[in-house]
Structure formats: C-alpha cells, structure tokens
Amino acid sequence: MTIAVKESVSRESSSIYINRDLSWIEFNWRVLEEAQDPSTPLLERVKFLSIVSSNLDEFMSVRVAGIKDQLKAGYLKKDFTGYTPAGLLKRIMKRATKLVSEQYKTFREISRLLAKEGLIFTDYESLTASQRKAMDSYYHDIIFPVLTPMAVDQSRPFPLVHTQAVYLAVVLRLDGEDEGEEPYFAIVQVPSNLPRHIAVPTRSNSKKQEYILMEDLITQHIHTLFSGYTPIAVHGFRITRNADLTLNEEGAEDLLEEIEKELRRRRWGAPVRLEVQQGIHPYALEVLQEEFELTEHIFEIDGPLDLTYLMKWAGSLTGFEHLRYPPVEPEYPKELLDTDDVFEKLRETDVLVYHPYESFDAVTDFICQAAYDPKVLAIKMTLYRVSGNSPLIQALARAAESGKQVTVVVELKARFDEERNIAWARKLEQAGCHVVYGLVGLKTHAKITLVVRQEEDGLRRYVHVGTGNYNDNTAKLYTDIGLFTADTVIGEDASALFNEITGYSSPHEWQAFGVAPTDMKDKLFALIRREAEHAAAGRKAHIIAKLNSLSNQQMVDELYAASQAGVKIDLIVRGVCCLRPGVEGLSENITVRSIVDRFLEHSRIIYFENGGDPELYLSSADWMTRNLTRRIELICPVFNDRLQQELIRILQLSLHDNVKARILQPNGMYARVETQEEPLRSQFKAMKIGSWKHGRVKRQTSHEA
C-alpha cells in the first residue's frame, strides 16, 4: 500500500514509523516513572524498580541478542523504520545506559525513603560489634558451605558463567610474592538459592530492621576461600547471554526432547551484555572482557547488581501494609454466582469476565465442572503459560482418568516457561490426555477451551475464549477478559480450530473467528477498510483498539490509510507502538495512549463503529508481525448486545483515564494527559465492580482517583 505523506510531516525522525526497539525502551521508561511517582505506595515503587530490571534482562537477551546476530551475519539492510542493525544497536545502548543510570538514581532515593520507614539497606562496616558477630556466624554456618571458589589459570579454564547470575570477580596475590607480578584471578557465584538480602539482628532500643546484601557479606569474608592468598579487590559482575531458542522442528523426532536440548544450550548462549560493579579492578575487567569477548556494551552499576531480587524481598515483608496498594478481592461474576450449573446458565446467556476485578475462579470452576460432569464427552484446551501449581492441570488429568476425551495443546516454546510446560506436558500424558505440541514453525498463542456435552436435544458445545493465559496467578496481576458462550457458530469454529491444530485439515472458512496465520490479518484489514468506506460515504466511522503492541508495518499502513480517509482511530497500546500519530496529512485522526498502572494492561479488545452498527472482538493477538504471521492466534466476535456495551465501557474507561495514561507524541515520546477535569484512574474505577457493566463512565472525585 502506498501512503501519501506531505513533506511537512518530518519531525525528530525522517521516518513515518517509530522503531520497535526504541519504542520498547520508552515503555520501560514509563514503568520506571511508576517507581518514581511519589503517589505510588513505597513498596509498590520497589516492585516497579524490579520490573524495570526484569524487562531489561529479557530485552537484552532476546531483542539485543537478535540485533547482534544480524551484525555477526553481516546483515546491513535498513529496517522499515530506517535503522541499520549497527545504527539501531548504538541508539539502543545509549538509551539503555541512560535508563539504567536513572533507575539506580531512583533506587537510592527509594532506599532513603525506606530508611525513614525503618527498612534500612546497610553495609558490613556500618554494623555494631554484636551485629557483625551475628553476621559472621551466618556467613560461616549458612553461606560458606555453599560457596565454590573457581580459580582461572593455565590448568583451569574459565568456568561456565550462568546468564543473569551474580558473581564476584576476585583479584588475588600469592602471599610473599612481589607486587609487580601479574595477579591471580578467581570467581565466586553468589548463591541464588539463599536470600539476597539478609536481615540483621536489630540494634538495642531500635525497631528499625536492617538488611545486608549477601555479596557484601561474602566480600568481607573472601579470605576464608583463598588461604595463602591476599585479596586485592572483589567486585560483582553479571553476564546476560543470548536466550533465544533456535529449533530445528522439522528435523526433530521429538519436539519435547529437542527443546530440552536447546534449554541446555541456552546456558552457553553468546554474551550480550556485561554488568560490573562501579570501580571494578582494571585487571578483573580486562579478564572478563577477554573471556566474554565484549569490548563494549558494558554497564558500570552504581549499586547492587540485578534489582530483580527486590520483588521477592518486598513481597516477603510483613507488617508494612500501609506501604502497599490495598488488597483487591476479585468478585465472583454475578451471572454465575447464583447457579450450581454453569452450563445451564450459558444456555441462557453469554457471560463476560473481567480479570482481575472478577475472579479467575470462574474459569477454574468451568473446567472443573466439565471434568466431573458425566455428560461431558470431551474437553479441548490450549495452554501457553500456566501457574506453578495450576488447578486446571489437576482437573484435566482427572477428566482424562475418568474416560473423557481430553486434548491439550501445550506450547512448549513459550519463552522462559519452556521447562515448566515440559513438566506439565509429561504429567498430562501420564494421566491419559492427548497432548499436542502445535504445528511446526508456529507458536500456539490462542487462548480457548471447548467443552462438548451430551444433552437431551443432542451434542452442545460450550466455549471459553480469553485474551490472557490460563494462569490463576497472573490473572490477579493482569487485566484480561474472558468470554463464556454456548453460541452455535462460535462452537463450530472452535471445533474446526482444534481440528486444524491436531489433525490434517485444510484452512477453514471461518463463520465467526479470524485465525492467524491464515486469515486474521486479511480479516482485520477488511474491517479497517470497511471503516474507511463508511467514512468516505459520510457514515459513522470509528476504530478503537486496545492492545499490548503494534509493530506490523502493513497494519500501521492500513491505519494510516484509514486516518487519511477520515476514520477516527483511538489506540490504547501499553507497550511498543511503531505508528506515529498526529502527523499532518498522515495520521492526524489517530491518537495513541499507553496506561501503565498497578495491573499489567493485557486485554485485547477491538471496536469497529461500522456505520452505526458496532462490532466488537476479543483477541489473543497483538498487532505484531509474529502474532499475525508466525503464531496460531484468534479474534472472536462478541455477539451479545449487553456484553458489547460492557466492552465499550471498558474501552471508555481507558480513553478517559487522565491519571495514568500517557499520550504518544508525533516525535515518538510520551506525555502525561493534561486536563482540568476531575481525575479518572481507569484501573481504580474498574475496581468498583459494575462500573463497566452499568451506566456511563463517570469521573471520580480526587479522593477516588
């Protein structure tokens, strides 16, 4: 598609697109802003700091690793946003370095505020004599037996350094040896199975709780590991490796075994980033650079390495509830509350469930009732990411053991959850479930359950379609939507979808669904073009899309074309957005907003005005190339008028948020909403169960916001 653009659209970038990876860094800045926000409860700010680190770890190990692979392969071509791999990598590292610097500045500020609350991060030198004695005992009794000093010399090659683990680089001198001799070098891994922050016994007449980092304690006692040597310097370091799996699915006789092999290879992935403690000894840095073959992309950290540990630390504290968000108790969906038979209720009406404000127990109960109901003949389900002790797995196993036909599509390639999914796959197979690992070259990302039940008037299908994973833990932290329905058309499409995944079936003529990679993109394009036709004819034309990411060039071009045709387009995109809104002659009819708040915005909802006859869809897919072309995804229409109104109100909540929403500017940067209106914080408003089910969206008082 050719996009007509006036020459005057030039802004900070000459491209009409925003680069995906640079857009992602801007997203992580928004996460960091939540850690900096004084209105965010203090321990929640600590958690946001941790999330910034975990986000950056994954970004480096996957996205940056991929760019480095391109450079290694000699790939010089520009991407559609105008960046070569070399130019993009340089820009990424510049922005990431600034981000990390700001993150640790924030960490120091939060540490000062925690100290005022009686939670003190201290060091060994600041302890009293009695506290030191207690910590000495802790080191000798608990830490020392676990440590393994690993020397590096001619007879002992550099040991395996695990990705994202914290190590100490130790520079030593042999006792009695001349200072001019080359020093000795060793590394010590900081145990990851012990608490990183160690609680120090309280001082007399004090209620303040002090914590010392385990690596600080090891550093103070490093001489106990190297008798006959004098430690010259001890500094922390951390390596990030390429974590992207490279699978030969077609040549793999057993995909499960192939992924297990790749997981073992991941430990040896090429180094991507080296983090070192500020002030590291020059000899130690030289040795590490030589071993990891990194002359750049080295981050000097002014503070503790790897702030991801803060999440566990903050979660373990008791007695500081005033420093957290008030707990949210999800309500059980009212439509399902007064019935013992979910199938009877679904024969009457469809039901929409909005997590985390409404309980995920409704989904669990649906699967459990199906597992125990003697009239249920078959259960088919996709599993992408499940929790560590998922009740759904137990229910599916029980159903199979009772003789029901249970088919589970387990996605073994769900990044960083591969090992857990392998374990679930084996357990389900042992229980008698038919376990399918999807189609070669495609991740199964659709979230759908099909229950086939024998009833008096024949077989009936019951379907659950969701925007998020079947994970009871993340359902408390992510905003997601699930649709329960007994609609005949949706049921028939659900059966056809599972038949395509598990058997040999030609692409289906979908009645309701749009399914990637075969026809979802074309269906979405057709719906967008239909809005453009409505606008051209003077009819109502409006698109609202709530997504996690938008990075597919063709999709961006379609939205640009619709904007030029006069379609009003409101995009609610939490993370990456490659579309540049508000550009004269191109996208002046498009707004893009991102909401980063207490819960991770994860629901995917699409609204088409359709000339006054609105259509609404739920989707498992973001508008990224991988979702549209390399994954099994689905969009599902919501037919029920009442549920359509509920979805519209959810969208309106996001569009009216003026507390946590940021608006994407034409230059690729984000700005908070500036308004004189009363504050409205969409997630807090949604906590008032029913705000999206009844009436219009009302603004909150300052107190409510």
Side-chain angles (χ1 to χ4, degrees), residues 139-140 144 172 218-231 234:
Y139 170 80
H140 288 291
F144 178 77
L172 303 148
I218 297 171
T219 298
Q220 293 297 324
H221 297 84
I222 198 72
H223 60 278
T224 63
L225 298 171
F226 301 99
S227 60
Y229 291 80
T230 299
V234 183

Side-chain angles (χ1 to χ4, degrees), residues 130 184 240 383 390 472 519 557 601 627 697:
S130 61
Y184 294 85
T240 301
L383 288 179
S390 174
D472 52 307
D519 80 325
D557 288 346
E601 290 289 339
N627 299 96
V697 176

Side-chain angles (χ1 to χ4, degrees), residues 382 384-385 444-449 464-470 602 604 619-621 632-634:
T382 59
Y384 191 75
R385 299 186 196 275
T444 304
H445 195 249
K447 292 85 169 66
I448 183 169
T449 300
H464 173 269
V465 174
T467 65
N469 298 311
Y470 288 109
H602 196 257
R604 303 169 177 103
S619 178
S620 65
I632 297 174
E633 306 267 16
L634 71 88

